Amino acid sequence: MLGEVMNLISQGVTFLGGVLIVFGLVNLGMTVKDGMQGGGGQLAGAIAMIVGGGIVIGAAIYFGTLDTSFAS
């Protein structure tokens, strides 16, 4: 039971991390297309969003590998 819940949570968080990466890539594309008129702040924000999405996905994968056999 707990293993199934952990699996569902891991899948949901992985999806959210993927969404964060996609939004970061869109933001990066729009920043580059506009010629970076906003300075480096917009570029740094887009890169931070992409990296943050990767970290969220990594944490979700690690969370999904945790041993829950003690709850059976």
Side-chain angles (χ1 to χ4, degrees):
M1 176 73 179
L2 181 60
E4 295 173 15
V5 171
M6 297 276 281
N7 188 25
L8 287 173
I9 290 173
S10 176
Q11 289 176 354
V13 173
T14 301
F15 173 77
L16 292 177
V19 168
L20 195 59
I21 288 176
V22 168
F23 281 141
L25 289 171
V26 168
N27 193 0
L28 178 66
M30 291 174 60
T31 300
V32 170
K33 178 189 78 73
D34 292 340
M36 292 182 21
Q37 293 177 0
Q42 288 180 339
L43 182 63
I47 292 172
M49 193 179 298
I50 294 167
V51 171
I55 291 172
V56 168
I57 289 175
I61 291 171
Y62 175 72
F63 187 74
T65 62
L66 294 177
D67 182 28
T68 58
S69 61
F70 64 89
S72 298

